[in-house]
Amino acid sequence: MAGVGIVLGSPKYLAPERLLDGLALPESDLWSLGATLYHAVDGRPPFVRATTAETLRALTDETPEPPRQAGPLTEVIVALLRRVPSARPEPPMVEHALRAVIGQPADRRGLPPAAAPPVPAEPGRKRRIAVAAALIGVLIAVGAVVGLVRPEDRAGSPAVASPPSAAPPAAPAGWYWYISPVGLRVMLPAEFPVSGGVFGVSVAGSATRPHLEISTVADQSANLLETLTTTEGSVGMLDYRRLRMAQLPDGAEWEYTYRSGGLLGDMHALQRLVILDGHVYRFEWEVPARSWVSELSRFNMIVDSFQPSSGG
């Protein structure tokens, strides 16, 4: 890897900070990994411009469009290509997510099993097979550096392997433990089916079920109240009304109401930012206004049960 002030490699795969500040960080390699996966699934790098100068300008000023053919890899690639280095997932999270995509258990550390004899592939499957093969190679490389790129290393302290995470306590009746592909744990009501999320949790709302989103905040260094205020400034909700915006001992909170354009009518919502293990997580909760009081205790129980992944 190149040192500070030295820029090597194709500009199509260079992280923005390599060009802006001349910094070669561990997170820069994660951006390059995302660019490589982007090219593998879409057949082109994240930024395609007529000249090298235009490519470099786009790299420093723009955010790449999400890949169109990445399928379950989309969320992983988008996270790897975040412009802020500290907002990119750490290697253990990337490894967990990639293993989940190819259906390999997260605790599998050995080489993949020997491949079965090849069978003729349909033309439309060739790219998917090539991508799967590339993912296996990526997993081996990522697994090799999981223990090398840690916050402790950057501070100059010896890296110490994290102890195995303890099993969560038994869930009470009517609840279950959900574990995401990257190892996030949260206790959810039994009628809360998780509909998506690799680096977080997503539960689609309905007339009888609140809407829940748990995600990481991209800019971990931002002031939390400013983060919520910026989000508020971009909303376009019908009959929106802020109820409160407050700093908390371990984060910040924004409560508001609005009118749904569908059959749900008046909605009551809350966004809470929480700092856990040095990372900022966003909890979004929306329910019909008539159910706000009865559902609030469940939201607090969900937040209190949340456990970040052992990889950060």
Coordinates of all heavy atoms in Angstrom, one line a residue, residues 166-252:
A166 N -21.2 -13.0 24.2 CA -22.1 -13.9 25.0 C -23.4 -14.1 24.4 O -23.9 -13.2 23.7 CB -22.2 -13.4 26.4
A167 N -24.0 -15.2 24.6 CA -25.4 -15.4 24.1 C -26.4 -14.5 24.8 O -26.2 -14.3 26.0 CB -25.8 -16.9 24.3
P168 N -27.3 -13.9 24.0 CA -28.3 -13.0 24.6 C -29.2 -13.7 25.6 O -29.4 -14.9 25.4 CB -29.0 -12.4 23.4 CG -28.9 -13.5 22.4 CD -27.6 -14.1 22.6
P169 N -29.7 -13.0 26.6 CA -30.7 -13.7 27.5 C -31.9 -14.1 26.7 O -32.2 -13.6 25.6 CB -31.0 -12.6 28.5 CG -30.7 -11.3 27.8 CD -29.6 -11.6 26.9
A170 N -32.7 -15.1 27.3 CA -33.9 -15.6 26.6 C -34.9 -14.4 26.4 O -35.1 -13.6 27.3 CB -34.5 -16.7 27.4
A171 N -35.5 -14.4 25.3 CA -36.5 -13.4 25.0 C -37.8 -13.7 25.8 O -38.2 -14.9 25.9 CB -36.8 -13.3 23.5
P172 N -38.5 -12.7 26.3 CA -39.8 -13.0 27.0 C -40.8 -13.5 26.0 O -40.6 -13.4 24.7 CB -40.2 -11.6 27.5 CG -39.4 -10.6 26.7 CD -38.2 -11.3 26.3
A173 N -41.9 -14.0 26.5 CA -43.0 -14.5 25.6 C -43.5 -13.4 24.7 O -43.6 -12.3 25.1 CB -44.1 -15.0 26.5
G174 N -43.6 -13.8 23.4 CA -44.1 -12.8 22.4 C -43.0 -12.0 21.8 O -43.3 -11.2 20.9
W175 N -41.7 -12.3 22.1 CA -40.6 -11.6 21.5 C -39.6 -12.6 21.0 O -39.6 -13.8 21.4 CB -39.9 -10.7 22.6 CG -40.7 -9.6 23.0 CD1 -41.9 -9.6 23.8 CD2 -40.5 -8.2 22.7 NE1 -42.3 -8.3 23.9 CE2 -41.5 -7.4 23.3 CE3 -39.5 -7.5 22.0 CZ2 -41.6 -6.0 23.2 CZ3 -39.5 -6.1 21.9 CH2 -40.6 -5.4 22.5
Y176 N -38.6 -12.2 20.1 CA -37.6 -13.0 19.7 C -36.3 -12.2 19.4 O -36.4 -11.0 19.2 CB -38.0 -13.8 18.4 CG -38.0 -12.9 17.1 CD1 -37.0 -12.9 16.2 CD2 -39.1 -12.1 16.9 CE1 -37.0 -12.1 15.1 CE2 -39.2 -11.3 15.7 CZ -38.1 -11.3 14.8 OH -38.2 -10.5 13.7
W177 N -35.2 -12.9 19.4 CA -33.9 -12.2 19.1 C -33.7 -12.3 17.6 O -33.7 -13.3 17.0 CB -32.8 -12.8 19.8 CG -32.7 -12.4 21.3 CD1 -33.1 -13.1 22.4 CD2 -32.1 -11.1 21.7 NE1 -32.8 -12.4 23.5 CE2 -32.2 -11.2 23.2 CE3 -31.5 -10.0 21.1 CZ2 -31.8 -10.1 23.9 CZ3 -31.1 -9.0 21.9 CH2 -31.2 -9.0 23.3
Y178 N -33.4 -11.1 17.0 CA -33.0 -11.1 15.6 C -31.5 -10.7 15.5 O -31.0 -9.8 16.2 CB -33.8 -10.0 14.8 CG -33.3 -9.8 13.4 CD1 -33.5 -10.7 12.4 CD2 -32.5 -8.7 13.1 CE1 -33.0 -10.5 11.1 CE2 -31.9 -8.5 11.8 CZ -32.2 -9.4 10.8 OH -31.7 -9.2 9.6
I179 N -30.8 -11.5 14.7 CA -29.3 -11.2 14.5 C -29.1 -10.9 13.0 O -29.5 -11.8 12.2 CB -28.5 -12.4 14.9 CG1 -28.8 -12.8 16.4 CG2 -27.0 -12.1 14.7 CD1 -28.0 -14.0 16.9
S180 N -28.6 -9.8 12.7 CA -28.4 -9.3 11.3 C -27.2 -10.0 10.7 O -26.4 -10.7 11.4 CB -28.2 -7.8 11.2 OG -26.9 -7.5 11.6
P181 N -27.1 -10.0 9.4 CA -26.0 -10.6 8.7 C -24.6 -10.1 9.2 O -23.6 -10.9 9.1 CB -26.1 -10.3 7.2 CG -27.6 -10.1 7.1 CD -28.1 -9.5 8.4
V182 N -24.5 -8.9 9.8 CA -23.2 -8.4 10.3 C -23.1 -8.6 11.8 O -22.2 -8.1 12.4 CB -23.0 -7.0 9.9 CG1 -22.9 -6.9 8.4 CG2 -24.0 -6.0 10.5
G183 N -24.1 -9.3 12.4 CA -24.0 -9.6 13.8 C -24.7 -8.6 14.8 O -24.5 -8.8 16.0
L184 N -25.4 -7.6 14.3 CA -26.2 -6.8 15.2 C -27.3 -7.6 15.8 O -28.0 -8.4 15.1 CB -26.9 -5.6 14.4 CG -25.9 -4.7 13.7 CD1 -26.7 -3.7 12.9 CD2 -25.0 -4.0 14.6
R185 N -27.6 -7.4 17.1 CA -28.6 -8.1 17.8 C -29.7 -7.2 18.4 O -29.3 -6.2 18.9 CB -28.0 -9.0 19.0 CG -27.1 -10.1 18.5 CD -26.5 -10.8 19.8 NE -25.7 -11.9 19.4 CZ -25.1 -12.7 20.3 NH1 -25.1 -12.3 21.6 NH2 -24.4 -13.7 19.9
V186 N -30.9 -7.6 18.2 CA -32.0 -6.7 18.8 C -33.2 -7.6 19.1 O -33.4 -8.6 18.3 CB -32.4 -5.6 17.8 CG1 -33.0 -6.1 16.5 CG2 -33.3 -4.6 18.5
M187 N -33.9 -7.4 20.1 CA -35.1 -8.1 20.5 C -36.3 -7.5 19.9 O -36.5 -6.3 20.1 CB -35.2 -8.2 22.0 CG -36.1 -9.3 22.5 SD -35.9 -9.7 24.3 CE -36.1 -8.1 25.0
L188 N -37.1 -8.3 19.2 CA -38.3 -7.7 18.5 C -39.6 -8.5 18.8 O -39.5 -9.7 19.2 CB -38.1 -7.8 16.9 CG -36.9 -7.1 16.3 CD1 -36.8 -7.5 14.9 CD2 -37.0 -5.6 16.5
P189 N -40.7 -7.8 18.8 CA -42.0 -8.5 19.0 C -42.1 -9.6 17.9 O -41.7 -9.5 16.8 CB -43.0 -7.4 18.8 CG -42.3 -6.1 19.2 CD -40.9 -6.3 18.6
A190 N -42.8 -10.7 18.3 CA -43.0 -11.8 17.4 C -43.6 -11.4 16.0 O -43.4 -12.0 15.0 CB -43.8 -12.9 18.0
E191 N -44.5 -10.4 16.0 CA -45.2 -10.0 14.8 C -44.4 -9.0 14.0 O -44.9 -8.4 13.1 CB -46.6 -9.4 15.1 CG -46.6 -8.1 15.8 CD -46.5 -8.2 17.3 OE1 -46.0 -9.2 17.8 OE2 -46.9 -7.2 18.0
F192 N -43.1 -8.8 14.3 CA -42.3 -7.9 13.6 C -41.3 -8.7 12.7 O -40.2 -9.0 13.0 CB -41.4 -7.1 14.5 CG -42.1 -5.8 15.1 CD1 -43.4 -5.9 15.5 CD2 -41.4 -4.7 15.3 CE1 -44.0 -4.8 16.0 CE2 -42.0 -3.6 15.8 CZ -43.3 -3.6 16.2
P193 N -41.7 -9.0 11.4 CA -40.9 -9.7 10.5 C -39.8 -8.7 9.9 O -40.2 -7.6 9.4 CB -41.8 -10.2 9.4 CG -42.9 -9.2 9.4 CD -43.1 -8.7 10.8
V194 N -38.6 -9.0 9.9 CA -37.6 -8.2 9.3 C -37.6 -8.3 7.8 O -37.5 -9.4 7.3 CB -36.2 -8.5 9.9 CG1 -35.1 -7.7 9.2 CG2 -36.1 -8.3 11.4
S195 N -37.8 -7.2 7.1 CA -37.9 -7.3 5.7 C -36.7 -6.9 4.9 O -36.6 -6.9 3.7 CB -39.1 -6.3 5.2 OG -38.8 -5.0 5.7
G196 N -35.6 -6.4 5.6 CA -34.4 -6.1 4.9 C -33.4 -5.5 5.8 O -33.6 -5.3 7.0
G197 N -32.2 -5.2 5.3 CA -31.1 -4.6 6.0 C -29.9 -5.5 6.2 O -30.1 -6.6 6.8
V198 N -28.8 -5.1 5.7 CA -27.5 -5.9 5.9 C -26.8 -5.3 7.1 O -26.4 -6.0 8.0 CB -26.7 -5.9 4.6 CG1 -25.3 -6.6 4.9 CG2 -27.4 -6.6 3.5
F199 N -26.6 -4.0 7.1 CA -25.9 -3.3 8.1 C -26.9 -2.7 9.2 O -26.5 -2.0 10.0 CB -25.0 -2.2 7.6 CG -23.9 -2.7 6.7 CD1 -24.0 -2.6 5.4 CD2 -22.8 -3.3 7.3 CE1 -22.9 -3.1 4.6 CE2 -21.8 -3.8 6.5 CZ -21.8 -3.7 5.2
G200 N -28.1 -3.1 9.1 CA -29.1 -2.6 10.0 C -30.3 -3.5 10.1 O -30.3 -4.7 9.7
V201 N -31.5 -3.0 10.5 CA -32.7 -3.7 10.6 C -33.8 -2.9 10.0 O -33.9 -1.7 10.3 CB -33.0 -4.0 12.1 CG1 -34.3 -4.7 12.3 CG2 -31.9 -4.8 12.8
S202 N -34.7 -3.5 9.3 CA -35.9 -2.8 8.7 C -37.1 -3.7 8.9 O -37.2 -4.9 8.5 CB -35.6 -2.6 7.2 OG -36.8 -2.0 6.6
V203 N -38.2 -3.1 9.5 CA -39.5 -3.7 9.7 C -40.5 -2.8 9.1 O -40.7 -1.7 9.5 CB -39.8 -4.0 11.2 CG1 -41.2 -4.5 11.3 CG2 -38.8 -4.9 11.8
A204 N -41.2 -3.3 8.0 CA -42.2 -2.5 7.3 C -43.4 -2.3 8.2 O -43.9 -3.3 8.9 CB -42.6 -3.2 6.0
G205 N -43.9 -1.1 8.3 CA -45.1 -0.8 9.0 C -46.4 -1.2 8.3 O -46.4 -1.4 7.1
S206 N -47.5 -1.3 9.1 CA -48.8 -1.6 8.6 C -49.8 -0.9 9.5 O -49.5 -0.2 10.4 CB -49.0 -3.1 8.5 OG -49.1 -3.6 9.8
A207 N -51.1 -1.2 9.2 CA -52.2 -0.6 10.0 C -52.1 -1.1 11.5 O -52.6 -0.4 12.4 CB -53.5 -0.9 9.4
T208 N -51.5 -2.3 11.7 CA -51.4 -2.8 13.0 C -50.0 -3.0 13.6 O -49.8 -3.5 14.6 CB -52.1 -4.2 13.0 OG1 -51.4 -5.1 12.1 CG2 -53.6 -4.1 12.6
R209 N -49.0 -2.5 12.8 CA -47.6 -2.7 13.2 C -46.8 -1.5 12.9 O -46.9 -0.9 11.9 CB -47.0 -3.9 12.4 CG -45.6 -4.2 12.8 CD -45.0 -5.4 12.1 NE -45.0 -5.2 10.6 CZ -45.7 -5.9 9.7 NH1 -46.4 -6.9 10.1 NH2 -45.6 -5.6 8.4
P210 N -46.1 -1.0 13.9 CA -45.2 0.2 13.7 C -44.1 -0.1 12.7 O -43.8 -1.2 12.4 CB -44.6 0.4 15.1 CG -45.5 -0.3 16.1 CD -46.0 -1.5 15.3
H211 N -43.6 1.0 12.1 CA -42.5 0.9 11.2 C -41.2 1.2 12.0 O -41.1 2.1 12.8 CB -42.6 2.0 10.1 CG -41.4 2.1 9.2 ND1 -41.1 1.2 8.3 CD2 -40.4 3.0 9.2 CE1 -40.0 1.5 7.7 NE2 -39.5 2.6 8.2
L212 N -40.2 0.3 11.8 CA -39.0 0.4 12.5 C -37.8 0.3 11.6 O -37.8 -0.5 10.7 CB -38.9 -0.8 13.5 CG -37.5 -1.0 14.2 CD1 -37.3 0.2 15.2 CD2 -37.5 -2.3 15.0
E213 N -36.8 1.2 11.8 CA -35.6 1.2 11.0 C -34.4 1.4 12.0 O -34.5 2.3 12.9 CB -35.5 2.3 10.0 CG -36.5 2.1 8.8 CD -36.0 1.1 7.7 OE1 -34.8 0.8 7.8 OE2 -36.8 0.7 6.9
I214 N -33.4 0.5 11.9 CA -32.2 0.7 12.7 C -31.1 0.7 11.8 O -30.9 -0.2 10.9 CB -32.0 -0.5 13.7 CG1 -33.2 -0.6 14.6 CG2 -30.8 -0.2 14.6 CD1 -33.2 -1.8 15.6
S215 N -30.3 1.8 11.8 CA -29.2 1.9 10.8 C -28.0 2.7 11.5 O -28.1 3.2 12.6 CB -29.6 2.7 9.6 OG -30.1 4.0 10.0
T216 N -26.9 2.6 10.8 CA -25.7 3.4 11.3 C -25.7 4.8 10.7 O -26.2 4.9 9.5 CB -24.4 2.7 11.0 OG1 -24.3 2.5 9.6 CG2 -24.3 1.4 11.7
V217 N -25.3 5.8 11.4 CA -25.2 7.1 10.9 C -23.9 7.3 10.1 O -22.8 6.9 10.6 CB -25.2 8.2 12.0 CG1 -25.0 9.6 11.5 CG2 -26.6 8.1 12.7
A218 N -24.0 7.8 8.8 CA -22.8 7.8 8.0 C -21.7 8.6 8.5 O -20.6 8.2 8.5 CB -23.3 8.3 6.6
D219 N -22.0 9.8 9.0 CA -20.9 10.7 9.5 C -20.9 10.6 11.0 O -21.6 11.2 11.7 CB -21.2 12.2 9.1 CG -20.0 13.1 9.5 OD1 -19.0 12.6 10.1 OD2 -20.1 14.3 9.1
Q220 N -20.0 9.7 11.5 CA -19.9 9.4 12.9 C -19.4 10.6 13.7 O -19.5 10.6 14.9 CB -19.0 8.2 13.1 CG -19.4 7.0 12.4 CD -20.5 6.2 13.2 OE1 -20.5 6.2 14.4 NE2 -21.5 5.7 12.4
S221 N -18.7 11.6 13.1 CA -18.1 12.7 13.8 C -19.1 13.9 13.9 O -18.8 14.9 14.6 CB -16.8 13.2 13.1 OG -17.1 13.6 11.8
A222 N -20.2 13.8 13.3 CA -21.2 15.0 13.2 C -21.8 15.2 14.6 O -22.0 14.3 15.4 CB -22.2 14.8 12.2
N223 N -22.2 16.5 14.9 CA -23.0 16.8 16.0 C -24.4 16.2 15.9 O -25.0 16.3 14.8 CB -23.1 18.3 16.2 CG -24.0 18.7 17.3 OD1 -25.2 18.7 17.2 ND2 -23.4 19.2 18.4
L224 N -24.8 15.4 16.9 CA -26.0 14.6 16.7 C -27.3 15.5 16.5 O -28.2 15.2 15.7 CB -26.2 13.7 17.9 CG -25.1 12.7 18.1 CD1 -25.4 11.7 19.2 CD2 -24.7 12.0 16.8
L225 N -27.4 16.6 17.3 CA -28.5 17.5 17.1 C -28.5 18.1 15.7 O -29.5 18.2 15.0 CB -28.5 18.6 18.1 CG -29.2 18.3 19.5 CD1 -29.1 19.5 20.4 CD2 -30.6 17.8 19.3
E226 N -27.3 18.4 15.2 CA -27.2 19.0 13.8 C -27.6 17.9 12.8 O -28.2 18.2 11.8 CB -25.8 19.5 13.6 CG -25.4 20.7 14.3 CD -24.0 21.2 14.0 OE1 -23.4 20.5 13.2 OE2 -23.6 22.2 14.6
T227 N -27.3 16.7 13.1 CA -27.6 15.6 12.2 C -29.1 15.5 12.0 O -29.7 15.4 10.9 CB -27.0 14.2 12.6 OG1 -25.6 14.3 12.6 CG2 -27.5 13.1 11.8
L228 N -29.8 15.5 13.2 CA -31.3 15.4 13.2 C -31.9 16.7 12.5 O -32.9 16.6 11.8 CB -31.8 15.3 14.6 CG -31.5 13.9 15.3 CD1 -32.0 13.9 16.7 CD2 -32.2 12.8 14.5
T229 N -31.3 17.8 12.8 CA -31.9 19.1 12.2 C -31.7 19.1 10.7 O -32.6 19.5 10.0 CB -31.1 20.3 12.8 OG1 -31.3 20.3 14.2 CG2 -31.7 21.6 12.3
T230 N -30.6 18.5 10.2 CA -30.4 18.4 8.8 C -31.4 17.5 8.2 O -32.0 17.8 7.1 CB -29.0 17.9 8.5 OG1 -28.0 18.9 9.0 CG2 -28.7 17.8 7.0
T231 N -31.7 16.4 8.8 CA -32.7 15.4 8.3 C -34.1 16.1 8.3 O -34.8 16.0 7.3 CB -32.7 14.2 9.2 OG1 -31.4 13.6 9.3 CG2 -33.7 13.2 8.7
E232 N -34.4 16.8 9.4 CA -35.7 17.5 9.4 C -35.8 18.5 8.3 O -36.9 18.6 7.7 CB -35.8 18.3 10.8 CG -37.1 19.0 10.9 CD -37.1 19.9 12.2 OE1 -36.1 20.5 12.5 OE2 -38.2 20.0 12.8
G233 N -34.7 19.2 7.9 CA -34.8 20.2 6.8 C -35.1 19.6 5.5 O -35.5 20.3 4.5
S234 N -34.9 18.3 5.3 CA -35.1 17.6 4.0 C -36.5 16.9 3.9 O -36.8 16.3 2.9 CB -34.0 16.6 3.7 OG -34.0 15.6 4.7
V235 N -37.3 16.9 5.0 CA -38.5 16.2 5.0 C -39.6 16.9 4.2 O -39.5 18.1 4.1 CB -39.0 15.9 6.4 CG1 -38.1 15.1 7.2 CG2 -39.4 17.2 7.1
G236 N -40.5 16.2 3.6 CA -41.6 16.8 2.8 C -42.9 16.2 3.3 O -43.7 15.8 2.4
M237 N -43.1 16.1 4.6 CA -44.3 15.4 5.1 C -45.5 16.3 5.1 O -45.3 17.5 5.4 CB -44.0 14.9 6.5 CG -42.8 13.9 6.6 SD -42.4 13.5 8.3 CE -40.9 12.6 8.1
L238 N -46.6 15.8 4.9 CA -47.9 16.5 4.9 C -48.2 16.9 6.4 O -48.2 16.0 7.2 CB -49.0 15.7 4.3 CG -50.4 16.3 4.2 CD1 -50.3 17.5 3.2 CD2 -51.4 15.3 3.7
D239 N -48.5 18.1 6.6 CA -48.9 18.6 7.9 C -47.9 18.3 9.0 O -48.2 17.9 10.1 CB -50.3 18.0 8.4 CG -51.4 18.5 7.5 OD1 -51.3 19.6 6.9 OD2 -52.5 17.8 7.4
Y240 N -46.6 18.4 8.6 CA -45.5 18.1 9.6 C -45.5 19.0 10.7 O -45.7 20.3 10.6 CB -44.2 18.1 8.9 CG -43.0 18.2 9.8 CD1 -42.6 17.0 10.4 CD2 -42.4 19.4 10.1 CE1 -41.5 17.0 11.3 CE2 -41.3 19.4 11.0 CZ -40.9 18.2 11.6 OH -39.8 18.3 12.5
R241 N -45.3 18.5 11.9 CA -45.2 19.4 13.1 C -44.1 18.8 14.1 O -44.2 17.6 14.5 CB -46.5 19.5 13.9 CG -46.5 20.4 15.1 CD -47.9 20.8 15.5 NE -48.5 19.6 16.1 CZ -48.6 19.4 17.5 NH1 -48.0 20.2 18.3 NH2 -49.2 18.3 17.9
R242 N -43.1 19.6 14.4 CA -42.1 19.1 15.3 C -42.7 19.2 16.8 O -43.2 20.3 17.2 CB -40.8 20.0 15.3 CG -39.7 19.5 16.2 CD -38.8 20.7 16.6 NE -37.8 20.9 15.6 CZ -36.7 21.6 15.9 NH1 -36.5 22.1 17.1 NH2 -35.8 21.9 14.9
L243 N -42.5 18.2 17.5 CA -42.9 18.1 18.9 C -41.7 18.5 19.8 O -41.9 19.2 20.8 CB -43.5 16.8 19.3 CG -44.7 16.4 18.5 CD1 -45.3 15.0 19.1 CD2 -45.8 17.4 18.7
R244 N -40.6 17.9 19.5 CA -39.4 18.3 20.3 C -38.1 17.8 19.6 O -38.2 16.8 18.8 CB -39.4 17.7 21.7 CG -39.5 16.2 21.8 CD -39.8 15.7 23.2 NE -39.9 14.2 23.2 CZ -38.9 13.4 23.5 NH1 -37.7 13.9 23.7 NH2 -39.1 12.1 23.5
M245 N -37.0 18.4 19.9 CA -35.7 18.1 19.4 C -34.8 18.3 20.6 O -34.6 19.4 21.1 CB -35.2 19.0 18.3 CG -33.9 18.6 17.7 SD -34.0 17.3 16.3 CE -34.8 18.3 15.0
A246 N -34.2 17.2 21.1 CA -33.5 17.3 22.4 C -32.2 16.5 22.4 O -32.1 15.4 21.8 CB -34.4 16.8 23.5
Q247 N -31.2 17.0 23.2 CA -30.0 16.3 23.4 C -30.2 15.3 24.5 O -30.9 15.6 25.5 CB -28.9 17.2 23.8 CG -27.5 16.6 23.9 CD -26.8 16.5 22.5 OE1 -26.9 17.4 21.7 NE2 -26.2 15.3 22.3
L248 N -29.7 14.1 24.4 CA -29.8 13.0 25.4 C -28.4 12.8 26.0 O -27.4 13.1 25.3 CB -30.4 11.7 24.9 CG -31.8 11.9 24.2 CD1 -32.2 10.5 23.6 CD2 -32.8 12.3 25.3
P249 N -28.3 12.1 27.2 CA -26.9 11.8 27.7 C -26.1 11.0 26.8 O -24.9 11.1 26.7 CB -27.3 11.1 29.0 CG -28.6 11.6 29.4 CD -29.4 11.8 28.1
D250 N -26.8 10.1 26.0 CA -26.0 9.2 25.1 C -26.4 9.4 23.7 O -26.2 8.5 22.9 CB -26.2 7.7 25.5 CG -27.7 7.3 25.5 OD1 -28.6 8.2 25.3 OD2 -28.0 6.1 25.5
G251 N -27.0 10.6 23.3 CA -27.4 10.8 21.9 C -28.3 12.0 21.8 O -28.1 13.0 22.4
A252 N -29.3 11.8 20.9 CA -30.2 12.9 20.7 C -31.5 12.3 20.2 O -31.6 11.2 19.7 CB -29.7 13.9 19.6

